[in-house]
Every structure is written in structure tokens, then in C-alpha cells.
């Protein structure tokens, strides 16, 4: 995978992680943006982006068989489990959002997203459901990559059939049945979104070749970058679109176009986002996502103005995430890899 693609998208990961923090701030701290529920769209972007990056990096490893499966899962586990274990421990020690202690083993094993009860999937560190869902996606990814390499046409046909059937099922579902877990947390539903990103990676060479002919020049690319950002912003604040959050396929074209434009890295904004500082900040994104609720718990106890508490939340979240990424995560990742590779 061309590292330039990752650099630009890494910058966006940082920006989106900050926006996720904003969505979780108390409404009485915020102004008009408190009424905009754009968290669903950002989470959807994260799932498709993750599938895209994983597909670019690992599709060549599963062209013929699943012999690389064990090593792939070990690497993915070492990346996400240490952070999850630490946050589960901290939330438990300080008794933060412990709806039921039965949620602890599910959180430690990243299986809480499989359970359709909010007392489990939204207990302890609420954002951790995303890590649970993404881990389930990792477990299934090698099979998708192998399937697509054997018969891409059949794979695409099967995927489209799944998307159609799933959305028809949601459409006819009685209103009395809640869709919070079914459409938002459910890892099997989220794997549909994740797979959309994988499909983008499968056709990336062809897409890049066509796009480079159309995107001729920095000015054109920069204009398109601004236009797609405006479109994403409209998607964030348009209440009519938010009424269709359960039907994520509606936002696929916009998100795919966003990833394509910024992956080409030819516009002015892409150049800024691919700078060293944004790359380093992008590396903090998952730690910011996983730790901000913990930081927010203590900031709420301070008697200061709302603006001051918002600033402190961001400062201490970024500082805490920096420490985790620099010291804790690398150390624990090595330990996990060593443990899982023992024979």
C-alpha cells in the first residue's frame, strides 16, 4: 500500500476522533451543534475507512488460502486488545458507568457488541462497542478477501444481495422493535459497511487510473476536496438524512467519493493532512476515541465554565492518548504478540 494514501486519511482519522469527542460532551456545554447528531455518519466513515485500509494492506495475503489468518488475527489483536483491557480496568476501578458487572468479561473479550442488551454493549466504556464490532470484522475479513479473489463477480453479486435483503428487512421491521443495537452496534450489520471499504480496495487500481485522468491539477483537486467536505458537512447537519441512519447504504456513495478524493493526495488540503504533524496526530485517533469518556468523567466534576471544561477535555484527552500511544500500547503490543505466538 502506498503510504501517501494512509498519511492523508490518517489526518482525517484525527479530525473525526475530535468530532466524536464533541458529540459525547454534555449538551448544556455546547451551543447549536448540540442538536446535530452526526456521530452516526462519522462511525460509518470509520467502518468503511477501516475496511478500505485493511483491504489495501492485506488483500495480497489472502489471494490463494487462509494460511496467513493466524498471523493476521494476532497482529490485529495486539493492536486493539491492550487499549481495551486498560480502559476496562480503569472504568471498573473508578466504578464509571458499571451498569452490571456481567459486562466486564464481555468487554475484556471484545464480545459486547454481539449482545443485544444495552446493559452489556453500552456498559463501562460506551465507545468500546466500536472496537468490539471492528474486531469481529477483522475475524471475518480474510474469508471475504479469499472469496473475492476466487470469484469477484460472484462475491459482488452476493454482497449486493445481502445489502438489499438486509435493508428490506429493516424497512418492514415493526416500529415497536428498536434498531439501536440491530443497525448501529450489531457487528454483522457493521460488517456490511466494513466490506464496502474492502470492495473499494479491490477496485482501487482501476479507480485510481480513471480518477487521475479526471483530477488533472492541484486546483481542480483542491476544489473537489472543498466540495466533498461541504457535502459531508451537509450530511452531518441535515435532519432529513438523519432519519435514514438505519439505511447506511444511502451514504455509501458520498463516503466512497470522500475517500477516493483524499486518497489521491493531489489537492492542497490533502497535502496539509499528509504532513508529519497530522500523521502523528492521526496515530492518536483510536486512543482519543477510547479514552475521552474516562477523561470527561473527571472534567465534569470541576467547577468551571462550560468553555473551560470543553478545552480541558480536549487537552487532557490528547495528552492521555499521547502517553498511551507512546508508552503503553507499544509495550503491551509486544507482550500480546509474544504470548499469542508461543507454541
Amino acid at each position: 500500500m502506498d503510504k501517501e494514501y494512509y498519511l492523508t486519511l490518517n489526518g482525517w482519522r484525527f479530525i473525526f476522533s475530535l468530532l466524536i469527542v464533541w458529540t459525547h460532551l454534555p449538551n448544556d456545554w455546547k451551543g447549536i451543534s448540540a442538536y446535530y447528531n452526526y456521530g452516526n455518519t462519522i462511525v460509518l466513515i470509520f467502518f468503511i475507512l477501516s475496511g478500505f485500509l485493511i483491504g489495501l494492506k492485506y488483500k495480497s495475503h489472502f489471494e490463494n488460502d487462509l494460511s496467513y489468518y493466524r498471523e493476521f488475527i494476532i497482529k490485529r489483536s495486539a493492536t486493539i486488545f491492550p487499549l481495551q483491557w486498560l480502559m476496562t480496568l480503569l472504568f471498573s476501578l473508578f466504578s464509571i458507568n458499571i451498569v452490571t458487572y456481567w459486562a466486564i468479561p464481555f468487554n475484556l473479550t471484545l464480545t459486547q457488541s454481539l449482545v443485544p442488551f444495552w446493559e452489556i454493549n453500552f456498559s463501562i466504556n460506551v465507545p468500546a462497542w466500536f472496537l468490539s464490532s471492528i474486531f469481529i470484522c477483522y475475524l471475518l475479513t480474510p474469508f471475504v478477501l479469499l472469496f473475492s479473489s476466487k470469484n469477484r463477480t460472484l462475491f459482488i453479486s452476493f454482497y449486493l444481495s445481502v445489502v438489499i435483503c438486509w435493508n428490506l428487512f429493516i424497512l418492514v421491521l415493526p416500529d415497536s422493535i428498536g434498531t439501536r443495537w440491530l443497525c448501529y452496534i450489531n457487528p454483522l450489520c457493521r460488517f456490511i459497511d466494513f466490506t464496502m471499504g474492502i470492495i473499494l480496495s479491490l477496485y482501487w487500481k482501476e479507480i485510481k487510473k480513471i480518477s487521475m485522468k479526471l483530477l488533472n491539477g492541484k486546483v481542480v483537486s483542491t476544489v473537489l476536496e472543498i466540495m466533498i467536505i461541504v457535502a459531508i458537512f451537509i450530511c452531518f447537519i441535515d435532519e432529513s438524512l438523519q432519519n435514514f441512519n438505519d439505511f447506511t447504504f444511502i451514504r455509501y456513495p458520498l463516503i466512497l467519493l470522500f475517500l477516493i478524493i483524499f486518497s489521491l493526495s493531489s489537492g492542497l488540503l490533502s497535502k496539509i493532512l499528509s504532513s508529519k504533524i497530522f500523521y502523528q496526530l492521526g496515530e492518536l485517533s483510536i486512543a482519543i476515541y477510547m479514552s475521552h469518556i474516562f477523561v470527561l468523567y473527571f472534567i465534569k466534576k470541576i467547577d468551571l465554565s462550560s468553555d473551560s471544561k470543553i478545552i480541558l477535555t480536549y487537552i487532557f484527552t490528547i495528552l492521555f492518548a499521547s502517553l498511551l500511544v507512546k508508552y503503553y500500547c507499544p509495550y503491551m503490543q509486544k507482550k500480546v504478540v509474544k504470548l499469542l505466538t508461543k507454541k
Side-chain angles (χ1 to χ4, degrees), residues 219-280:
V219 175
V220 174
S221 295
T222 302
V223 170
L224 284 175
E225 289 172 357
I226 295 173
M227 290 176 63
I228 195 66
I229 289 175
V230 171
I232 290 288
F233 178 74
I234 293 174
C235 185
F236 281 173
I237 66 174
D238 191 326
E239 293 184 7
S240 61
L241 284 176
Q242 292 174 18
N243 293 328
F244 296 94
N245 279 338
D246 291 342
F247 304 95
T248 56
F249 76 94
I250 295 175
R251 288 167 286 174
Y252 283 176
L254 179 62
I255 294 173
L256 292 176
L257 188 59
F258 173 83
L259 295 180
I260 290 170
I261 290 175
F262 279 101
S263 292
L264 294 174
S265 304
S266 56
L268 179 61
L269 298 180
S270 288
K271 293 301 179 183
I272 295 173
L273 288 170
S274 62
S275 63
K276 185 177 181 180
I277 181 64
F278 269 102
Y279 170 78
Q280 293 173 336

Side-chain angles (χ1 to χ4, degrees), residues 155-209:
F155 166 69
I156 296 298
S157 300
F158 177 75
Y159 174 77
L160 291 176
S161 299
V162 171
V163 171
I164 293 171
C165 291
W166 174 257
N167 283 279
L168 286 176
F169 168 69
I170 298 302
L171 184 63
V172 301
L173 200 66
D175 293 337
S176 58
I177 299 178
T179 58
R180 180 65 173 178
W181 173 82
L182 195 62
C183 298
Y184 188 66
I185 300 172
N186 176 13
L188 298 181
C189 169
R190 284 309 187 175
F191 189 59
I192 297 175
D193 304 327
F194 186 89
T195 303
M196 189 69 258
I198 292 179
I199 291 174
L200 178 62
S201 73
L202 296 178
Y203 290 96
W204 183 245
K205 287 184 179 180
E206 295 84 350
I207 291 173
K208 179 185 175 184
K209 187 176 180 180

Side-chain angles (χ1 to χ4, degrees), residues 74-103:
I74 289 175
K75 287 182 177 181
R76 294 295 92 200
S77 298
T79 301
I80 61 178
F81 269 99
L83 198 54
Q84 173 65 6
W85 290 337
L86 176 63
M87 298 316 300
T88 301
L89 175 62
L90 291 176
F91 273 73
S92 300
L93 287 176
F94 288 93
S95 296
I96 304 173
N97 195 37
I98 307 293
V99 180
T100 171
Y101 284 102
W102 284 105

